[in-house]
Amino acid sequence: MPEDRIRYDILAQEALRGVMRKVLQEVARTGMPGNHHFFITFLTDAPGVRISSNLKERYPEQMTIVLQYQFWDLKVDEKGFEVVLSFADTPEKLEIPFAAVRGFYDPSVNFELEFDVKSDEADEEHTVAPTTLHTEPKAETATDESATEETPEAEAEEGDGKGAEVVSLDAFRKK
């Protein structure tokens, strides 16, 4: 197979991270529109990630946050975003570079972006494989406050030591 000297995988990731950046910039400027809300999964050990030691201890590899009802001071720039969320009634400021984000999902319209990133032990840049874009017909999702950033169930749990495991949104749907 010929060597990809253009690095389309990196260009695609940068373009799709731009979609996420633009959406978050708009939300920071005007507020969350309609029923939209976001599940954002990121590597907690990636360069530039700043979270409290309590959160880092609880989520040493990966964490998923939800931006829906209770988030404050969302600020977005070219490199990443920062936001204040409440965990067990304690406000926590998180600073997350876009290069650390593994997934961005808006269940209100079933829009999902997945990124492959490496943790800070990696010697390459954070982009390692093509990005996947998923758009499907609108699916029924939970919209009550049980799926906000305050619930640990909304955050990715650690797997069997071989990396983090993605939690299905089916767990949050009302039965």
Side-chain angles (χ1 to χ4, degrees):
M1 177 189 264
E3 182 181 351
D4 179 5
R5 294 181 186 213
I6 295 175
R7 295 302 310 259
Y8 288 108
D9 58 336
I10 293 172
L11 294 172
Q13 286 230 20
E14 288 174 0
L16 291 173
R17 285 184 196 282
V19 170
M20 176 178 51
R21 180 179 55 249
K22 188 167 186 149
V23 167
L24 291 176
Q25 285 172 329
E26 186 64 21
V27 168
R29 194 172 64 76
T30 64
M32 190 69 73
N35 290 326
H36 290 276
H37 55 289
F38 314 126
F39 288 75
I40 302 172
T41 301
F42 64 97
L43 296 181
T44 57
D45 62 350
V49 170
R50 295 183 128 174
I51 59 176
S52 72
S53 57
N54 288 341
L55 290 177
K56 177 67 174 153
E57 185 177 305
R58 194 167 165 197
Y59 304 98
E61 296 178 19
Q62 170 172 294
M63 182 176 176
T64 297
I65 58 172
V66 180
L67 301 185
Q68 185 173 13
Y69 299 118
Q70 299 179 358
F71 65 92
W72 302 271
D73 300 327
L74 177 62
K75 296 176 184 150
V76 184
D77 63 26
E78 291 301 308
K79 297 283 185 191
F81 66 99
E82 61 184 58
V83 66
V84 175
L85 300 172
S86 179
F87 296 88
D89 294 325
T90 303
E92 301 265 5
K93 181 180 177 182
L94 293 83
E95 295 180 27
I96 305 164
F98 291 121
V101 174
R102 291 192 67 182
F104 177 87
Y105 180 57
D106 182 346
S108 70
V109 292
N110 209 16
F111 178 80
E112 179 177 13
L113 297 173
E114 293 177 351
F115 306 98
D116 289 326
V117 294
K118 289 186 176 184
S119 63
D120 64 358
E121 292 92 33
D123 31 270
E124 286 188 47
E125 289 188 16
H126 304 294
T127 306
V128 295
T131 301
T132 306
L133 169 64
H134 300 282
T135 55
E136 299 171 7
K138 185 174 177 178
E140 180 183 334
T141 59
T143 57
D144 66 347
E145 292 190 33
S146 67
T148 66
E149 64 280 352
E150 293 183 15
T151 60
E153 295 84 10
E155 299 166 47
E157 298 295 331
E158 286 185 53
D160 57 2
K162 297 180 183 175
E165 156 185 345
V166 177
V167 177
S168 169
L169 286 177
D170 291 338
F172 304 110
R173 292 191 175 135
K174 293 181 180 176
K175 303 278 179 190

